[in-house]
Amino acid sequence: QVQLVESGGGSVQAGESLRLSCSISAYAWVRYSMGWYRQAPGKEREGVACIDTSDKATYVDSVKGRFTIYKDNAKRTLYLQMNSLKPEDTAIYYCVADRSWFGSAWWPPKYWGQGTQVTISS
């Protein structure tokens, strides 16, 4: 009953912007916290941003002030607006969801999308 399909990745230069989108099934949309994780080449996956069912948003320090997570309830779509992109933001970005809040310790959520590649050049 939980399906996540993300899109919007691509290749841009440093300083530019991208917006990632994630279509989420109705069951998860109503009940689950959701967010974005990423995995850079040769590195472990890390949490980026998450938002709970009350629209409380949390970000990791490296993206604060640059990234914004938000939801469109009419479209059941989760977004990650990424501004002032840096080469170190290059990674595969995953839309994620879980019944429990994962934005404190950033433990791995239960449900993951297929991932979308974001590449930032200097």
Side-chain angles (χ1 to χ4, degrees):
Q1 297 185 68
V2 179
Q3 296 180 345
L4 305 93
V5 181
E6 62 265 72
S7 61
S11 298
V12 298
Q13 296 187 67
E16 296 183 345
S17 299
L18 282 173
R19 188 179 71 170
L20 306 183
S21 302
C22 179
S23 177
I24 300 175
S25 58
Y27 184 89
W29 185 263
V30 173
R31 299 172 175 83
Y32 287 8
S33 296
M34 56 197 73
W36 299 89
Y37 275 57
R38 66 186 180 186
Q39 186 166 23
K43 297 183 179 180
E44 298 295 324
R45 63 182 181 270
E46 64 172 346
V48 178
C50 56
I51 187 165
D52 69 7
T53 54
S54 298
D55 288 339
K56 172 189 173 183
T58 300
Y59 305 89
V60 294
D61 289 342
S62 60
V63 308
K64 287 180 179 177
R66 299 189 298 121
F67 291 10
T68 302
I69 185 171
Y70 62 99
K71 297 154 64 176
D72 185 328
N73 288 109
K75 297 180 179 180
R76 281 193 284 109
T77 300
L78 175 71
Y79 297 97
L80 183 67
Q81 178 67 46
M82 304 185 293
N83 297 328
S84 301
L85 284 162
K86 304 175 180 179
E88 51 262 44
D89 294 318
T90 295
I92 300 174
Y93 283 70
Y94 298 91
C95 182
V96 298
D98 200 294
R99 179 161 53 186
S100 299
W101 175 248
F102 51 86
S104 296
W106 293 104
W107 46 266
K110 184 174 182 179
Y111 300 101
W112 295 67
Q114 80 282 0
T116 185
Q117 178 70 50
V118 171
T119 302
I120 314 301
S121 59
S122 301

